[in-house]
C-alpha cells in the first residue's frame, strides 16, 4: 500500500457533520446582509504581492511574516490573500464602482491564508466574512457596520460577547501620539519583547497589542491616544459612541485598541468572546479613510470589519442547539417494483418541495427502519411488494409509531395538506 498524503499543516477539512453549522452561519449572514442592502463581491483568492504590501503595510505581521507568497510560472510574485479588504478596494478602484455615485455597501466571504502557528481557532487557511462601506465619512456608517456585526452574532444565538471600541484619530493626531508613545516606551526598550523592540521605530502603535505579558504590563500605563485627538477626530468618536448608546449596543472604550498604519483613521473596534480561550477575537474592524488613495484611487473614506468564521463555528458547536434542517420523509423499500416506485416517489416529493431521504441499501426492512429512526425524519414511507401491487404506500409517523396506508398518488396530489400534517407531527416529535 502506498503512503497516505495528508492535508497541509494548518488546514483542515470541514466534514459533513460540521456542514450544517457552516450552512446556518452562511444562511444567517446572507439574510442579515441583504436586509441591510449590502451586495456581495467576489474577488480572486490570489493577487499581485504589492497589493498586500501597500494595502496592509510592510510593517505588519501579516505582510512581514505571514504571507503565502510565491513566484508563478510567468515570474510574477503572487500572494494568496491573507485578508479581504485589499482585494475589495483594488476591485472598487479597478472597476470604477464609485462611478455610480453614492456609497458602496459590499460584503465578501471566503478562505484567507496566513502562515501562522496553528492552534485552536488559528489556522493557515481560514475563512472570513467581511463588509466594507466605501464612500461615507459619516460616523453613522461606522455604527451601521457595528450594528450589523452585533445583529449577526445575536441572530446566531451567540452570547458572552464584548464590543471594544477606540479611535486612532487622523494622521496628524497619530503622529503626535506616536511621538508621545515612543518617548514613554524608549526607557523600557530592553524589557519589551523582541518584536516590540523592533517596532519601536517602525510601527510603535502595534506594540500596544503585543501578546507578551511584560510588554502588556508596560503598555498598561502608556499615554492614551484619546488624549491626542484633534477636534474633528474627537467629534467623530463621540458621535459614534453616542449613536451606539442610542442603538442600545453595549461597548467599552479601550484606548489600547489600535491599528498601526497610516490609512487607518478614527474608529477601531473588536468583538471578543469569553468562550474561546486565547483566540478570543471574533470580529475586527474599523475605518480606513486613507486606503483607497494608498492603492491608487481617489481619496475615499471607508469602514469595514472581518469576522473569523472558524471561531464562530466553535462557538455555535458549544451552544448544542439543533440547527439541522428537518427531514420530512425517509423512504424504505424492498423488491424490484417497490424500489423503482420509491425512487420515483422521492423524485416527485423533492420536486414538490419536501425533504426526502431514500434508503438505497436494499437491506432487510428492519435495518432500513432503524436508519429511518436515526434520520430525524418526521415520517417513514414504506413500499414493499404489497404496496407496489396496490399502488399504495404505508405512512409511519415516527414520533408516535402510528401508521396508515394511503394511495401513493395522494402525497403528490395534495402536497399542501401533507405539509400541514408534517408540521403538526414534527411538533409532537420535538422535545
Ligand atoms: P489575531 O489577533 O487573532 O491574530 P488579527 O488581528 O490577525 O487576529 P484580523 O486580521 O483583524 O485578525 O482578522 C479578523 C478576524 O479573522 C479575527 O478576529 C479572527 O476571528 C479571524 N482570524 C484571523 N487570523 C486567523 C487565523 N489564522 N485563523 C483563524 N481565524 C483567524
Ligand atoms: Mg493575526
Amino acid at each position: 500500500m502506498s503512503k497516505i498524503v495528508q492535508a497541509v499543516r494548518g488546514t483542515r477539512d470541514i466534514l459533513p457533520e460540521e456542514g450544517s453549522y457552516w450552512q446556518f452561519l452562511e444562511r444567517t449572514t446572507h439574510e442579515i446582509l441583504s436586509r441591510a442592502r449590502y451586495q456581495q463581491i467576489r474577488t480572486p483568492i490570489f493577487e499581485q504581492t504589492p497589493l498586500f504590501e501597500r494595502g496592509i503595510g510592510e510593517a505588519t505581521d501579516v505582510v512581514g511574516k505571514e504571507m503565502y507568497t510565491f513566484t508563478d510560472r510567468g515570474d510574477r510574485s503572487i500572494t494568496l490573500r491573507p485578508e479581504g479588504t485589499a482585494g475589495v478596494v483594488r476591485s472598487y478602484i479597478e472597476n470604477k464602482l464609485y462611478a455610480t455615485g453614492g456609497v458602496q455597501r459590499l460584503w465578501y466571504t471566503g478562505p484567507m491564508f496566513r502562515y501562522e502557528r496553528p492552534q485552536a481557532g488559528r489556522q493557515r487557511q481560514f475563512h472570513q466574512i467581511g463588509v466594507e462601506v466605501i464612500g461615507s465619512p459619516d460616523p453613522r456608517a461606522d455604527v451601521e457596520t457595528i450594528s450589523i456585526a452585533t445583529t449577526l452574532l445575536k441572530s446566531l444565538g451567540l452570547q458572552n460577547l464584548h464590543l471594544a471600541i477606540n479611535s486612532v484619530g487622523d494622521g496628524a493626531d497619530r503622529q503626535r501620539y506616536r511621538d508621545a508613545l515612543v518617548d514613554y516606551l524608549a526607557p523600557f526598550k530592553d524589557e519589551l519583547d523582541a518584536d516590540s523592540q523592533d517596532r519601536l521605530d517602525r510601527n510603535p502603535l502595534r506594540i500596544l497589542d503585543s501578546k507578551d505579558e511584560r510588554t502588556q504590563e508596560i503598555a498598561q500605563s502608556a499615554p492614551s491616544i484619546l488624549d491626542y485627538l484633534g477636534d474633528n477626530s474627537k467629534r467623530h468618536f463621540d458621535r459614534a459612541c453616542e449613536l451606539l448608546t442610542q442603538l442600545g449596543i453595549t461597548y467599552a472604550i479601550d484606548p489600547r485598541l489600535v491599528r498601526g498604519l497610516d490609512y487607518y483613521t478614527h474608529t477601531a473596534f473588536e468583538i471578543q468572546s469569553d468562550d474561546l480561550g486565547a483566540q478570543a477575537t471574533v470580529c475586527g474592524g474599523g475605518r480606513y479613510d486613507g486606503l483607497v488613495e494608498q492603492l491608487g484611487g481617489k481619496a475615499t473614506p471607508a469602514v469595514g470589519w472581518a469576522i473569523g468564521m472558524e471561531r464562530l463555528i466553535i462557538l455555535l458547536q458549544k451552544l448544542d442547539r439543533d440547527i439541522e434542517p428537518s427531514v420530512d420523509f425517509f423512504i424504505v423499500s424492498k423488491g424490484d417494483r417497490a424500489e423503482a416506485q420509491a425512487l420515483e416517489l422521492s423524485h416527485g416529493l423533492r420536486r414538490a418541495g419536501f425533504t426526502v431521504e431514500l434508503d438505497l441499501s436494499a437491506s432487510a426492512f428492519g435495518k432500513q427502519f432503524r436508519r429511518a429512526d436515526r434520520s430525524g425524519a418526521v415520517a417513514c414511507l414504506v413500499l414493499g411488494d404489497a404496496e407496489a401491487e396496490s399502488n399504495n404506500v404505508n405512512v409511519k409517523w415516527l414520533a408516535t409509531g402510528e401508521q396508515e396506508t394511503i394511495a401513493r398518488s395522494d402525497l403528490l396530489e395534495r402536497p399542501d395538506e401533507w405539509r400541514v400534517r408534517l408540521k403538526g407531527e414534527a411538533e409532537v416529535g420535538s422535545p
Side-chain angles (χ1 to χ4, degrees):
M1 249 191 352
S2 45
K3 200 163 171 264
I4 295 170
V5 180
Q6 292 183 324
V8 175
R9 180 169 151 79
T11 69
R12 55 191 289 278
D13 299 308
I14 297 165
L15 298 175
E17 59 187 51
E18 217 181 279
S20 55
Y21 292 95
W22 285 85
Q23 284 173 10
F24 174 61
L25 172 55
E26 283 160 359
R27 236 181 6 251
T28 310
T29 304
H30 296 175
E31 197 180 304
I32 282 160
L33 291 168
S34 71
R35 269 193 240 153
R37 302 279 291 154
Y38 283 59
Q39 292 179 299
Q40 190 178 22
I41 182 164
R42 302 184 194 221
T43 64
I45 281 173
F46 52 80
E47 298 269 3
Q48 300 197 52
T49 303
L51 174 70
F52 300 115
E53 290 166 348
R54 282 161 64 188
I56 304 172
E58 302 195 47
T60 58
D61 277 356
V62 170
V63 173
K65 309 182 197 163
E66 297 174 357
M67 290 209 298
Y68 273 93
T69 298
F70 60 95
T71 306
D72 76 2
R73 289 171 195 273
D75 247 355
R76 302 171 193 88
S77 180
I78 300 292
T79 295
L80 302 184
R81 65 177 182 199
E83 54 95 59
T85 305
V88 169
V89 170
R90 177 202 49 71
S91 175
Y92 172 88
I93 298 167
E94 188 169 341
N95 298 296
K96 301 187 174 59
L97 297 187
Y98 48 83
T100 55
V103 175
Q104 290 284 326
R105 290 183 163 94
L106 304 171
W107 72 275
Y108 61 83
T109 185
M112 307 292 162
F113 306 86
R114 298 184 192 177
Y115 196 81
E116 302 198 67
R117 193 169 68 78
Q119 50 199 297
R122 191 176 295 288
Q123 296 162 215
R124 292 182 174 173
Q125 174 174 332
F126 62 100
H127 298 77
Q128 288 182 337
I129 301 165
V131 305
E132 316 291 356
V133 176
I134 310 180
S136 172
D138 194 318
R140 285 182 301 162
D142 312 30
V143 173
E144 177 177 291
T145 63
I146 294 172
S147 84
I148 286 168
T150 57
T151 301
L152 172 60
L153 297 169
K154 203 176 158 76
S155 305
L156 294 169
L158 302 181
Q159 282 161 352
N160 306 327
L161 295 168
H162 309 283
L163 167 65
I165 180 171
N166 192 26
S167 172
V168 296
D170 59 21
D173 303 338
R174 224 165 22 247
Q175 190 53 54
R176 281 198 304 276
Y177 176 64
R178 192 186 155 118
D179 294 343
L181 184 64
V182 173
D183 284 348
Y184 166 80
L185 289 172
F188 296 105
K189 181 162 184 185
D190 295 341
E191 295 173 63
L192 301 175
D193 61 279
D195 276 346
S196 295
Q197 292 186 9
D198 202 43
R199 286 178 179 142
L200 202 51
D201 303 317
R202 294 195 305 142
N203 194 0
L205 267 66
R206 276 320 268 206
I207 296 175
L208 297 178
D209 62 20
S210 161
K211 283 165 183 130
D212 178 77
E213 219 171 285
R214 179 64 189 136
T215 303
Q216 273 184 6
E217 226 171 75
I218 295 167
Q220 279 300 319
S221 311
S224 161
I225 192 163
L226 296 174
D227 295 329
Y228 291 80
L229 298 183
D231 287 344
N232 183 38
S233 301
K234 225 180 259 155
R235 219 175 305 120
H236 188 100
F237 186 56
D238 290 345
R239 181 79 175 137
C241 291
E242 188 184 299
L243 291 167
L244 283 172
T245 305
Q246 198 170 328
L247 267 55
I249 297 172
T250 315
Y251 61 90
I253 294 174
D254 177 0
R256 261 166 295 280
L257 180 64
V258 291
R259 298 272 181 272
L261 300 165
D262 285 349
Y263 41 77
Y264 291 113
T265 52
H266 305 295
T267 315
F269 62 91
E270 262 181 24
I271 301 174
Q272 296 212 341
S273 163
D274 290 339
D275 305 328
L276 279 175
Q279 270 58 248
T281 307
V282 294
C283 176
R287 185 164 271 287
Y288 50 94
D289 288 348
L291 182 58
V292 180
E293 193 174 18
Q294 176 93 15
L295 290 177
K298 215 174 92 227
T300 309
V303 57
W305 50 249
I307 280 177
M309 296 175 79
E310 277 77 4
R311 296 185 193 176
L312 292 193
I313 297 292
I314 295 172
L315 292 174
L316 284 173
Q317 286 175 316
K318 285 190 185 179
L319 285 183
D320 200 26
R321 239 190 21 211
D322 191 13
I323 54 168
E324 281 294 343
S326 66
V327 183
D328 297 316
F329 296 115
F330 189 98
I331 306 184
V332 306
S333 56
K334 186 104 186 116
D336 278 349
R337 272 181 76 191
E339 284 165 10
Q341 286 177 3
L343 177 66
E344 190 189 343
L345 185 59
S346 70
H347 170 75
L349 286 171
R350 287 179 194 133
R351 287 198 166 181
F354 295 100
T355 306
V356 183
E357 183 171 342
L358 175 67
D359 194 313
L360 286 172
S361 67
S363 50
F365 269 123
K367 274 195 176 160
Q368 294 193 49
F369 280 130
R370 278 196 291 282
R371 270 194 290 274
D373 281 327
R374 283 198 304 266
S375 72
V378 179
C380 179
L381 301 177
V382 189
L383 286 127
D385 291 334
E387 286 82 8
E389 187 66 37
S390 56
N391 281 322
N392 284 340
V393 58
N394 183 263
V395 183
K396 182 176 175 196
W397 299 99
L398 289 170
T400 57
E402 276 167 34
Q403 298 190 33
E404 59 195 281
T405 298
I406 59 166
R408 207 169 65 241
S409 56
D410 195 62
L411 288 162
L412 294 176
E413 279 163 9
R414 301 185 298 134
D416 290 335
E417 284 172 40
W418 282 96
R419 256 186 275 281
V420 173
R421 289 197 65 187
L422 284 159
K423 198 160 173 275
E425 287 289 329
E427 277 156 20
V428 173
S430 67

